[in-house]
Amino acid sequence: MRARDLGLPLTGDTGPLNAITDVPGVEVGYTTLIEGDAVRTGVTAILPRPRPDVHLPCAAGRYSLNGNGEMTGTALLDEIGSVRLPVLITNTHAVGPCHRGVIDWVAREKPQVAEQWLLPVVAETWDGYLNDINGPHVRPEHAVAAIDAAAGGPVAEGSVGGGTGMNCYAFKAGSGTSSRVVRYGRDSYTVGAFVQANFGSRKELTVCGVPVGALLADDNPIEKGDWRHPPGAGSVIAVIATDAPLLPGQCSALARRVPLGLARTGTTGSHFSGDIFLAFSTGNVLTPSEFPHGEPGYDTLRHIPWNRLDAFFAAIVHAVEEAVLNALVAATTMTGRQGHRAPGVPVDRLVDAVLNGRIPRG
């Protein structure tokens, strides 16, 4: 189930899959770990380029709305304006094994690339309500498996990969994606968004401009149960991809628009929510920042002028909003650690509230 399937009035023209994989060459893979009563976690891998070219840098930028979270490799990203290799998303306490897993995968698949140094990008959100987050359940081989599983085509959503144990607006959520097509003169480009949604207080939830959170205030064990979860806590990671040729600074500008899409779903940005966003463009191939060999050369970058970027900014806002809603409606009720329960969003009541302005009784 996806938000558009419900008839929700969403804005913009999507790509054929309405997913980040509509951007040519981008691939997504998951390792999902659901074991016993307490393991509800996993790993998500996003490949900016297909495997043969995944070591070739893409122009990239990032933005942190709230630094109460982690995305490794960003010091180098800020320095050189590019990203390469698989990008991983997992839980807060599994960043280390996933970082090691990327290195293991590159050493296996592209040993010549691993000969110098690797600074992978690994991001996280907190799944400790449902998951035994302090246990060593995510291991490097799970990260490798997620990268190996990466493929184009449709992308599973909800309780999969790094999103397995995540909640959003005190409902079960997790992984979500969406895309938009941007027409630029005689050309067309795609903007894709992927979110690991784990943020927001129930009272904030807004869908297509309708403040539905107060109407869906019942069945809220995450915020009102014996285990007190600070309203709005958790975090959100967003990865933005486009095949439009952009400069690194323009990728940063795209990343800065992610909060506007999140805000359309109601969040006001809790202190306890680490909100960190990465954007990359596959429209140019940059020179790898390795030890130089041979004769010196030049990078030549073709890019869309700054004064023509507004349509791309709008695409980010609309795709991020829809990706969050897709994560919510795809997920179903889950019980995990210590019997904690995360309720799935009551889809029928949600749709009735949005389309008819009311909630059915009973």
Side-chain angles (χ1 to χ4, degrees), residues 57-69:
C58 303
R62 58 104 184 188
Y63 178 67
S64 172
L65 177 68
N66 180 2
N68 196 348

Side-chain angles (χ1 to χ4, degrees), residues 16-330:
L17 300 172
N18 192 15
I20 193 172
T21 49
D22 284 324
V23 178
V26 174
E27 299 179 344
V28 176
Y30 295 125
T31 296
T32 299
L33 299 175
I34 299 177
E35 301 169 357
D37 297 329
V39 178
R40 307 286 188 270
T41 194
V43 184
T44 298
I46 299 175
L47 276 60
R49 301 189 192 274
R51 283 173 180 75
D53 298 326
V54 75
H55 64 291
L56 298 178
C58 303
R62 58 104 184 188
Y63 178 67
S64 172
L65 177 68
N66 180 2
N68 196 348
E70 179 64 278
M71 180 180 286
T72 69
T74 53
L76 180 62
L77 190 157
D78 291 344
E79 180 73 18
I80 64 176
S82 68
V83 69
R84 63 174 186 162
L85 308 179
V87 174
L88 268 57
I89 318 175
T90 187
N91 79 60
T92 307
H93 295 176
V95 170
C98 286
H99 196 276
R100 179 71 244 179
V102 176
I103 294 170
D104 290 346
W105 185 87
V106 176
R108 186 193 76 189
E109 295 293 322
K110 294 187 174 293
Q112 72 282 7
V113 175
E115 284 181 356
Q116 296 187 13
W117 73 88
L118 301 173
L119 294 172
V121 174
V122 181
E124 55 76 28
T125 64
W126 188 85
D127 61 11
Y129 175 72
L130 290 170
N131 178 51
D132 174 27
I133 195 169
N134 292 326
H137 306 295
V138 176
R139 302 186 296 274
E141 57 263 34
H142 295 129
V144 172
I147 301 171
D148 284 339
V155 177
E157 294 172 300
S159 301
V160 290
T164 299
M166 305 301 171
N167 307 301
C168 187
Y169 295 112
F171 286 118
K172 187 68 192 74
S175 304
T177 188
S178 184
S179 71
R180 292 296 184 274
V181 175
V182 179
R183 290 165 182 84
Y184 184 75
R186 291 176 291 182
D187 298 323
S188 289
Y189 296 107
T190 301
V191 172
F194 183 97
V195 299
Q196 186 161 294
N198 192 52
F199 66 97
S201 176
R202 177 71 64 83
K203 66 183 180 181
E204 296 176 324
L205 178 59
T206 301
V207 177
C208 298
V210 179
V212 300
L215 301 174
L216 303 175
D218 59 308
D219 193 13
N220 189 0
I222 295 176
E223 293 178 334
K224 297 181 179 180
D226 294 336
W227 188 89
R228 300 290 294 178
H229 191 74
S235 299
V236 56
I237 298 297
V239 177
I240 304 300
T242 184
D243 57 344
L246 299 178
L247 299 171
Q250 294 174 319
C251 292
S252 297
L254 262 59
R256 289 195 296 272
R257 268 60 186 187
V258 170
L260 300 178
L262 298 176
R264 287 168 70 96
T265 68
T267 182
T268 53
S270 166
H271 163 73
F272 294 101
S273 180
D275 307 334
I276 308 176
F277 320 120
L278 168 71
F280 62 83
S281 162
T282 63
N284 291 291
V285 177
L286 307 181
T287 299
S289 61
E290 300 168 348
F291 298 143
H293 300 282
E295 291 297 314
Y298 300 89
D299 272 344
T300 301
L301 303 183
R302 188 172 72 111
H303 68 92
I304 291 173
W306 279 93
N307 63 358
R308 299 284 188 176
L309 286 179
D310 281 356
F312 294 91
F313 294 156
I316 296 295
V317 173
H318 298 148
V320 167
E321 176 190 22
E322 187 166 352
V324 172
L325 298 181
N326 282 338
L328 279 165
V329 302

